[in-house]
Amino acid sequence: MSGRAGFMKALAVIGLVLGVIGSITAWFLSFEGYLPGDAMVRTWATAKDRPSDGKSNDSWVVGDVAVRSRFDAVTGFGIADGQDGKKLWEFVPPGRAQICGSAPRAGEGVLLVAYGLESKATSGGSGKPAPPGKGKGCSTVVAFDSKDGRELWSVPRTVSDGRFPGGGVLEAGGGLALIQHERTEQEMRKPGGNRSLRALDLRTGKARWTAAVPGTCGVRETSVGEEQVHAVLACGEGVNDPGSYGGGDLELMAAAFDRRTGALKWNVPIDARRPVSTDAKVSIESADPLVLRVVRSSNENAGEATGTFVPFDQDGRTRQGVELSGDYGQIDAAEVVGERMYALAWTYSKGRHYRLIAFDLKTGEEVWNEELDEPAAGLAVRGDRITVLCEWSTQASAITELLVYDARDGEELDERHFREEAPSGYFSEHDGRIIVVGAAGDHAFSAFERW
């Protein structure tokens, strides 16, 4: 071999080695979020929360304000350009009262909050709840302007025993504030549920209507749609027990009320074949169309559940449902937009493997199904784009990757890596930024943008 040939071969080997090193370096920089066009960088974060002593938090975005509701305070943070998570206002309930309810889907820039003092006393040896004392229970509802925290109006809420209720008692949207009132001891002697539903004007607090709830039913959960107010009702004679929804011959039902008058439009079984008991967990996933998530049984340790997403048409007729568990795996999270539901589902084989699936709610059939490379932690749908946040592994506690898909056909449109790990899979999109919710004791909100 001539010297020139050997020299050229050596250059080729060096070039190959440098190419491999360059590729590895580029992959590493991209994966760590240090290459333009591949990265998500943190632009700001709010101050860290105080520990919440194990009590739950609610967080959401309303317009240009991110709101954190805790048992001891409700705080609004500015997320518009230049505000960078600045605390705008804070409401602390008076004395030793606690926040016991809020409306996470608050509309029109109005925030609803309920607070009070919890009473755990019972009367005598009967075991029946004692009548509530003054200020006891979730007894006061206040409406705030979410932009500046200014109080708009305040009304009392009827309580029966002074104990904090389970589930949500407030809802807002479409110009309405919905408040679930408990029945008084005198009302308990008559047939009917232990919660009624009343609507107020969202901006002024003026009474609009009291819903025509069927006589043996009580309100569990509500949501405001474009034409109807939807509710999950517990129905049956045993629903009169003020302390719980259990006992008696009870069944969970779906109902719709006229949004203008509160008149009952329909009230139907969630499942026509077998009753849905009050032990089941039923939540409203969407109001337009109405879609209920019905969990009949679950293994929380394994993250597994059996049940169905049940869609309804405007007249209360059920459509073909989507099972929580199927050939596609176990559905973790879902979001409904129009007549489609987008879901994250996983199967287990030496770890969890996730898919993003689109379902047609008219038929219950899959429209498309895309496998993900990383475990998914959360999704959000905005327009015709689906954003998914992913973790490095199912053992991780932080988010490392962002994926964007076309909602029409599931085509991947973008892939980004977080330079600084995001704290959770709960997030909202706002003016091109990702606003991520932090856990108690961490930053309440962090903002990330593409780089």
Side-chain angles (χ1 to χ4, degrees):
M1 178 183 297
S2 67
R4 179 177 176 80
F7 177 73
M8 294 303 294
K9 184 176 181 180
L11 285 178
V13 171
I14 293 172
L16 179 61
V17 171
L18 290 176
V20 171
I21 293 174
S23 297
I24 293 174
T25 302
W27 177 87
F28 178 80
L29 292 174
S30 174
F31 185 80
E32 294 295 325
Y34 283 95
L35 281 185
D38 290 338
M40 294 293 295
V41 296
R42 192 171 75 172
T43 55
W44 55 257
T46 61
K48 287 191 174 182
D49 261 345
R50 301 177 300 277
S52 65
D53 299 327
K55 298 183 180 181
S56 61
N57 300 319
D58 286 325
S59 300
W60 60 93
V61 171
V62 182
D64 289 333
V65 181
V67 180
R68 167 64 64 93
S69 178
R70 295 162 42 102
F71 74 98
D72 55 354
V74 180
T75 310
F77 302 91
I79 60 176
D81 287 342
Q83 292 182 324
D84 295 344
K86 175 185 176 182
K87 181 190 289 188
L88 301 179
W89 53 265
E90 186 169 68
F91 167 73
V92 178
R96 296 183 177 179
Q98 295 184 25
I99 304 294
C100 50
S102 55
R105 290 185 288 270
E108 301 176 24
V110 179
L111 166 69
L112 297 183
V113 172
Y115 68 87
L117 292 167
E118 184 173 19
S119 173
K120 299 180 181 179
T122 57
S123 58
S126 65
K128 294 182 179 181
K134 184 177 181 180
K136 294 290 186 179
C138 206
S139 58
T140 302
V141 176
V142 184
F144 299 96
D145 188 310
S146 63
K147 292 182 180 179
D148 53 20
R150 175 172 50 92
E151 182 176 324
L152 300 175
W153 50 265
S154 175
V155 296
R157 175 179 173 271
T158 305
V159 298
S160 60
D161 57 29
R163 295 183 296 185
F164 283 178
V169 297
L170 303 175
E171 181 59 279
L176 294 179
L178 301 182
I179 303 176
Q180 296 178 27
H181 290 264
E182 297 172 13
R183 293 166 62 84
T184 64
E185 186 175 354
Q186 183 177 5
E187 290 173 328
M188 288 290 182
R189 299 191 183 102
K190 302 176 182 179
N194 65 350
R195 286 191 190 170
S196 64
L197 179 64
R198 299 175 189 173
L200 288 71
D201 184 278
L202 188 57
R203 297 294 306 185
T204 67
K206 182 180 179 181
R208 297 277 289 272
W209 46 258
T210 297
V213 179
T216 59
C217 298
V219 181
R220 267 276 186 102
E221 186 175 348
T222 60
S223 186
V224 183
E226 292 182 1
E227 297 292 334
Q228 301 177 148
V229 169
H230 298 293
V232 175
L233 306 180
C235 299
E237 295 302 327
V239 81
N240 291 323
D241 176 8
S244 71
Y245 286 109
D249 185 15
L250 298 180
E251 179 182 359
L252 294 182
M253 311 279 283
F257 303 90
D258 188 286
R259 207 177 82 171
R260 294 167 303 226
T261 66
L264 180 67
K265 301 191 75 171
W266 48 262
N267 179 33
V268 299
I270 295 173
D271 188 331
R273 293 173 297 175
R274 59 186 181 122
V276 176
S277 76
T278 55
D279 293 331
K281 296 179 180 179
V282 180
S283 58
I284 300 176
E285 295 292 306
S286 166
D288 293 304
L290 175 63
V291 179
L292 301 183
R293 180 186 181 116
V294 181
V295 180
R296 291 185 179 270
S297 64
S298 63
N299 181 342
E300 294 184 2
N301 292 330
E304 298 174 346
T306 58
T308 313
F309 290 92
V310 183
F312 294 80
D313 66 16
Q314 283 292 94
D315 297 319
R317 291 185 292 266
T318 57
R319 296 171 171 174
Q320 182 65 41
V322 176
E323 296 299 315
L324 281 169
S325 181
D327 293 339
Y328 39 78
Q330 176 77 54
I331 294 179
D332 255 359
E335 185 165 336
V336 176
V337 179
E339 296 293 349
R340 281 195 182 183
M341 183 177 79
Y342 303 95
L344 294 172
W346 58 270
T347 55
Y348 190 88
S349 177
K350 297 181 180 180
R352 289 189 181 186
H353 301 271
Y354 278 78
R355 291 182 173 275
L356 176 62
I357 310 168
F359 293 94
D360 185 330
L361 290 176
K362 291 182 179 179
T363 65
E365 299 295 325
E366 292 183 28
V367 180
W368 50 259
N369 184 324
E370 291 293 328
E371 185 175 1
L372 306 180
D373 293 331
E374 308 292 348
L379 83 163
V381 184
R382 191 179 181 92
D384 60 354
R385 299 290 186 268
I386 305 169
T387 301
V388 179
L389 298 189
C390 296
E391 305 165 332
W392 169 246
S393 76
T394 53
Q395 308 303 316
S397 59
I399 305 302
T400 57
E401 188 176 20
L402 175 145
L403 301 172
V404 179
Y405 295 86
D406 190 316
R408 293 168 296 185
D409 55 16
E411 179 186 357
E412 183 178 315
L413 302 175
D414 195 10
E415 178 181 353
R416 303 272 174 155
H417 297 272
F418 287 84
R419 185 180 299 178
E420 300 174 75
E421 293 176 340
S424 77
Y426 301 100
F427 69 102
S428 298
E429 294 194 60
H430 181 271
D431 289 345
R433 288 177 174 169
I434 302 294
I435 311 297
V436 182
V437 175
D442 200 346
H443 301 286
F445 298 95
S446 300
F448 295 85
E449 64 183 11
R450 291 166 173 80
W451 181 75

